[in-house]
């Protein structure tokens, strides 16, 4: 039976060196004399409640309990003599209420949740249960929420409604103990098997700041391989008539004085050149009366018509509606605007994206302007803002205190709710690439770029800390000029956790706010989301991306580092035979006979296997030349021989006369090259409209990955 249970313990550890988990059992055999502490005794018997409490206190605190009066359970019974000190210890700490217990009853998962609920206030969920559990009829709302928290932390496995009435066997205790001040939030990462459909970057309006405009355009072009959708936040629903009656179009705001030098138009042109979808961002900047003007149906139709004029004027691929209002007074009105805008865009073959605030429950959603059912029905994409819990605006207005940008469990709850209400495939997880600088002395705050965060760290020598393990964010403090500052930002670990969370929920993609405040870690993650790859130097738009993704997903080719693939680097002989050897399941063979192949080299077994199978020959009887670059004709010959060892049909043959350099193919490689061309594995290098075989040219890693993909998918 699957283990659907976990023990969450909030313990106060004393400083010092404690025995390792592996040594725990031996430690107890020596220090705790009662046989109950030996988990090898009666390992499959369900623990009683008194056993559970005694063992968890001892195994976590390395404590022998407390003295004093021993509390009785609901039946008026005292615990066993050996367990009494530990029962007293938990009672003193206030983690148990013996009057509601039965010391002799089995410890079920429900009982464990009761223990957690009384142990420490580490969860701040509202009383709406979004997970279902079997055997939970008698649990309180607090206990149910503790179960949900355990799932969000990744400690309690959630399958088909786990049964919380299941008992806990003695042997399971040690495996689920988590000795720490609090529970560490964990996200189960997994190898990416696909790329997201969308990776979105927001391009903020620079207004009249020329320096910012120059910086943002350069950043946009530099990082454009990391996203496939750009949102230009420069269209406004206006109180007063500007360029149109209702819509203020700032996309052509020429801060340099001439249209040709407009940075936003240049960025839009760059999108078209690079195949990036360009969306106009429609904002209201918290102006309630802007939407109030749309209560008149004719005015709403006029606003939608004017928005379509902007789309057509710049050849945009769609719009992103980012209407931010507090409260729900205009909820129904905004829903109608979404429906009408979607209809107009879809008639033109355009995309509608929404930027939505996050909610964990239906009650929370109902208190906002964001109608999730409208998003599900009309939107193509929905970017969920889950990172703005504590922000500069609320701090400056006295609404909230300073704090972290995000909260991992909050992300999880919001995503789970939105996925159920809107659909995971439409959702984009919003991720921040900026920090917040709090001046605690003057009680002011401002957003700062990630570069500024790093500069302040270097300048002050401050130490980066976490608010706590549950928040999973980063911050540091420093003093300057008699004032105290607090800087909150996203850590690389936090960004990785959010990426993993989005992958595990099967979302449609991620969205970054905003270009120009770039965080290298975030853009690397965004590139991965576009390509399904961890490499900086592979874009989703590169012709070789599918081949590299195929070899990566099938563990055939590794990167040259954790973050680079080097697609244009030439392939060595050792690399090529290693790829084929891996595809064969990495068979174990004898040592290589080549003197230049050390036994400990990563390619040693691959070379020995390839030589034994007749896939490759040495450059001489005793030399293999593992670091020698592979030419395209050598690659064709190796692949041809390999196919022959697998019993594949080698009869297909294509004439090479259409290639101007066909005469350069050497005799040993002619049949293999004809075979590769016939089956479409090699198509030639196109130069000035002419295809060349380039048989003596070195094969690049990108070319090899692509050819291997074509061959292995067909064979």
């Amino acid at each position: 039976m699957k283990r659907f249970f976990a023990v969450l313990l909030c313990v106060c550890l004393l400083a010092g060196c404690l025995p390792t988990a592996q040594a725990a059992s031996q430690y107890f055999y020596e220090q705790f004399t009662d046989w109950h502490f030996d988990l090898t005794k009666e390992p499959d018997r369900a623990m009683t409640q008194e056993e559970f409490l005694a063992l968890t206190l001892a195994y976590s605190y390395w404590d022998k309990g407390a003295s004093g009066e021993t509390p009785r359970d609901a039946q008026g019974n005292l615990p066993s003599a050996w367990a009494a000190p530990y029962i007293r210890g938990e009672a003193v700490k206030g983690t148990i209420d013996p009057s509601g217990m039965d010391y002799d009853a089995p410890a079920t998962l429900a009982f464990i949740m009761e223990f957690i609920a009384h142990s420490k206030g580490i969860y701040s969920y509202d009383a709406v249960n979004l997970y279902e559990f079997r055997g939970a009829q008698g649990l309180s709302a607090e206990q149910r929420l503790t179960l949900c928290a355990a799932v969000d932390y990744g400690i309690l496995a959630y399958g088909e409604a786990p049964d919380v009435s299941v008992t806990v066997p003695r042997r399971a205790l040690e495996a689920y103990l988590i000795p720490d001040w609090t529970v560490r939030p964990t996200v189960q990462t997994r190898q990416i098997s696909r790329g997201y459909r969308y990776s979105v970057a927001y391009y903020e309006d620079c207004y009249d700041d020329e320096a910012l405009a120059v910086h943002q355009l350069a950043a946009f072009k530099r990082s454009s391989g990391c996203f496939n959708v750009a949102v230009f936040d420069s269209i406004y629903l206006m109180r007063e008539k500007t360029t149109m009656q209702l819509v203020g179009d700032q996309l052509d705001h020429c801060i340099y004085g001439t249209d040709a030098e407009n940075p936003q138009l240049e960025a839009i042109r760059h999108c078209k050149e690079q195949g990036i979808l360009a969306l106009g961002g429609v904002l209201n900047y918290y102006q309630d009366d802007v939407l109030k003007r749309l209560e008149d149906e004719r005015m709403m139709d006029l606003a939608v018509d004017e928005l379509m004029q902007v789309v057509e004027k710049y050849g945009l691929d769609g719009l992103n509606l980012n209407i931010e209002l507090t409260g729900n007074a205009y909820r129904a009105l905004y829903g109608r605007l979404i429906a009408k805008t979607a209809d107009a865009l879809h008639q033109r073959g355009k995309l509608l994206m929404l930027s939505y605030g996050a909610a964990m429950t239906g009650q929370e959603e109902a208190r906002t302007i964001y109608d999730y059912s409208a998003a599900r029905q009309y939107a193509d994409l929905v970017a969920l803002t889950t990172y703005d819990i504590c922000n500069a605006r609320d701090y400056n207005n006295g609404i909230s205190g300073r704090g972290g940008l995000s909260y991992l469990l909050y992300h999880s709850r919001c995503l789970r709710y939105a996925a159920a209400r809107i659909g995971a495939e439409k959702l984009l997880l919003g991720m921040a690439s900026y920090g917040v600088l709090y001046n605690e002395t003057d009680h002011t705050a401002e957003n700062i770029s990630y570069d500024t965060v790093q500069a302040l760290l270097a300048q002050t020598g401050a130490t980066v800390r976490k608010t706590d393990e549950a928040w999973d964010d980063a911050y540091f403090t420093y003093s300057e000029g008699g004032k105290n500052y607090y800087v909150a930002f996203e850590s690389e670990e936090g960004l990785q956790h959010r990426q993993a969370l989005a992958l595990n929920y099967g979302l449609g993609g991620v969205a970054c706010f905003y270009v120009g405040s770039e965080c290298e870690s975030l853009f690397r993650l965004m590139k991965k989301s576009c390509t399904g790859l961890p490499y900086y130097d592979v874009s989703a738009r590169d012709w070789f991306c599918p081949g590299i993704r195929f070899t990566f997903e099938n563990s055939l080719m590794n990167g040259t580092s954790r973050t680079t693939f080097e697609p244009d680097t030439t392939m060595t002989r050792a690399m090529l035979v290693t790829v084929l050897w891996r595809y064969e399941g990495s068979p174990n063979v004898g040592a290589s006979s080549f003197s230049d192949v050390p036994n400990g080299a990563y390619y040693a077994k691959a070379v020995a296997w390839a030589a034994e199978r007749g896939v490759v020959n040495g450059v001489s009887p005793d030399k293999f030349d593992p670091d020698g670059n592979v030419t395209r004709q050598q690659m064709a010959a190796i692949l041809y021989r390999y196919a022959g060892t697998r019993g594949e049909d080698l009869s297909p043959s294509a004439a090479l006369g259409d290639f101007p350099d066909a005469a350069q193919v050497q005799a040993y490689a002619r049949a293999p090259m004809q075979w590769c061309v016939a089956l479409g594995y090699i198509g030639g290098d196109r130069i000035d409209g002419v295809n060349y075989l380039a048989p003596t040219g070195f094969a690049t890693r990108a070319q090899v990955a692509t050819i291997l993909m074509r061959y292995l998918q067909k064979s």
Side-chain angles (χ1 to χ4, degrees), residues 351-364:
L351 188 76
L352 174 63
M353 177 173 154
L354 302 175
S355 292
Y356 260 30
M360 293 190 292
T361 67
Q363 289 90 331
E364 281 192 8

Side-chain angles (χ1 to χ4, degrees), residues 549-568:
R549 186 188 301 123
F550 176 86
T551 55
F552 173 77
E553 290 174 354
N554 290 282
S555 302
L556 299 178
M557 292 179 70
N558 297 322
T560 54
S561 75
R562 186 172 63 91
T563 58
T564 58
F565 186 82
E566 296 186 17
D568 295 326

Side-chain angles (χ1 to χ4, degrees), residues 130-360:
L130 296 181
Y131 285 135
E132 294 297 329
F133 300 95
R134 288 182 288 125
Q137 293 81 0
L139 293 186
S140 66
E142 184 180 26
Q143 292 166 327
R144 288 172 180 268
L145 292 174
T146 311
L147 282 165
C148 289
V151 173
D152 284 337
Y153 273 115
I155 295 168
L156 176 60
Y158 188 78
E160 291 294 327
D163 187 351
V164 295
S165 65
V166 69
T167 57
V168 181
R170 284 169 46 80
R171 60 178 163 75
L173 177 81
E174 194 173 356
Y176 291 104
L177 289 175
I178 302 177
D180 204 341
W181 275 88
T182 184
V183 180
R184 293 180 181 273
T186 58
V187 177
Q188 299 300 318
T189 58
R190 57 184 171 85
Q191 181 170 310
I192 300 172
S193 60
R194 61 167 180 81
Y196 289 134
R197 289 185 302 148
Y198 297 104
S199 189
V200 180
Y202 287 82
Y203 192 107
E204 196 175 31
D205 192 340
C206 298
Y207 306 103
D208 292 325
D209 189 332
E210 182 173 338
L212 178 59
V214 172
H215 168 73
Q216 186 158 267
L217 179 60
F220 182 79
K221 289 185 175 181
R222 182 173 62 249
S223 58
S224 61
C226 299
F227 49 84
N228 54 16
V229 180
V231 176
F232 294 89
D233 278 342
S234 296
I235 305 173
Y236 304 92
L237 294 178
M238 307 297 290
R239 294 189 181 118
E240 302 171 358
K241 183 175 180 180
T242 52
T243 53
M244 302 178 186
Q245 286 194 357
L246 292 163
V247 174
D249 163 23
Q250 295 294 310
L251 283 171
D252 60 354
H253 189 118
C254 304
I255 63 171
Y256 297 144
T258 65
D259 224 34
E261 296 176 326
N262 182 289
Q264 291 185 120
L265 295 184
E266 173 62 24
I268 292 173
R269 284 192 290 270
H270 183 73
C271 285
K272 294 178 180 178
E273 293 168 359
Q274 299 298 317
I276 300 171
L277 295 176
L279 307 183
V282 183
L283 307 99
N284 70 308
Y285 277 113
Y286 297 95
Q287 301 175 92
D288 292 54
D289 49 352
V290 170
L291 277 188
K292 185 173 178 61
R293 296 182 68 193
L294 304 184
E295 288 180 330
D296 185 323
E297 203 71 19
R298 293 171 300 175
M299 296 298 284
M300 182 177 288
D301 291 340
L302 178 60
V304 173
D305 182 63
E306 290 180 351
L307 287 174
M308 295 308 108
Q309 291 178 44
V310 176
V311 169
E312 292 167 1
K313 179 179 179 180
Y314 301 108
L316 299 176
D317 297 293
L319 293 173
N320 172 63
L321 296 184
N322 187 8
I323 305 302
E324 297 180 283
L325 291 178
T326 56
N328 60 2
Y330 296 100
R331 181 183 177 87
L333 185 65
Y334 187 32
R336 294 208 310 274
L337 178 62
I338 289 171
K340 285 179 175 288
T341 305
D343 184 58
L345 287 171
H346 293 160
Q347 286 182 22
R348 292 166 172 80
K350 306 292 184 178
L351 188 76
L352 174 63
M353 177 173 154
L354 302 175
S355 292
Y356 260 30
M360 293 190 292

Side-chain angles (χ1 to χ4, degrees), residues 407-428:
Y407 183 27
L408 187 60
L409 295 184
Y410 175 73
H411 278 271
S412 180
R413 295 281 288 194
C414 292
L415 287 179
R416 185 170 67 246
Y417 177 74
R421 295 276 286 128
I422 298 173
E425 70 286 349
K426 288 187 177 185
L427 287 179
L428 309 171

Side-chain angles (χ1 to χ4, degrees), residues 451-498:
D451 289 343
T452 303
V453 170
Q454 298 305 309
L456 284 173
L457 265 176
Q459 173 187 325
T460 62
T463 300
V464 175
R465 296 183 172 88
K466 288 185 177 181
T467 305
D468 62 44
E469 294 294 345
W471 274 80
D472 194 37
D473 72 331
Y475 78 95
F476 60 91
T477 60
Y478 68 96
S479 298
E480 184 178 87
K483 297 183 179 181
N484 299 322
Y485 296 91
Y486 179 103
V487 181
F489 66 102
E490 289 276 24
S491 67
E492 180 163 354
E493 179 186 27
L495 291 170
Q496 290 172 344
H497 283 175
R498 282 141 191 72

